[in-house]
Amino acid sequence: MSGALKVMAGLFAGLESETPSGGRAVFWEPLGSAWLKLGARRRREMSEAGGVRAIETVTAETRSDARLEAGRMLRFGGGDWRIVSGETVGGRAILSLERMR
């Protein structure tokens, strides 16, 4: 990933709670931050009942950290990116991220 863009991202864990009306609400608890080295963004479209939705994906590299789990969220560049998967290679975490638009 040489020459890739580096950004500071906030790391958040989703916490669910029940609303007074019996629904579910998700609150995002801050866990810290991480410097990310981003690869190229890719975009694909997915058809849904209400129309077409765009999904952006990107691969990010950072220092290995046990808090970087699938399902958690990284916030950078004005967007929220869900960690889809990750693996650790030689002290570095390679993460697959996605966001819906």
Side-chain angles (χ1 to χ4, degrees), residues 29-98:
E29 176 184 24
L31 299 177
S33 58
W35 278 104
L36 304 175
K37 189 187 317 182
L38 300 176
R41 288 186 187 185
R42 291 176 172 62
R43 181 182 167 123
R44 69 180 194 271
E45 292 184 348
M46 187 171 89
S47 296
E48 294 182 343
V52 177
R53 175 174 264 186
I55 299 174
E56 282 186 282
T57 60
V58 68
T59 300
E61 180 181 331
T62 188
R63 188 176 303 165
S64 180
D65 185 328
R67 299 174 298 170
L68 297 167
E69 298 177 359
R72 290 195 170 160
M73 187 256 297
L74 289 163
R75 181 174 289 157
F76 60 91
D80 294 342
W81 294 79
R82 187 172 60 90
I83 301 173
V84 177
S85 64
E87 65 177 313
T88 302
V89 178
R92 307 295 296 170
I94 310 298
L95 307 172
S96 293
L97 309 176
E98 74 175 21

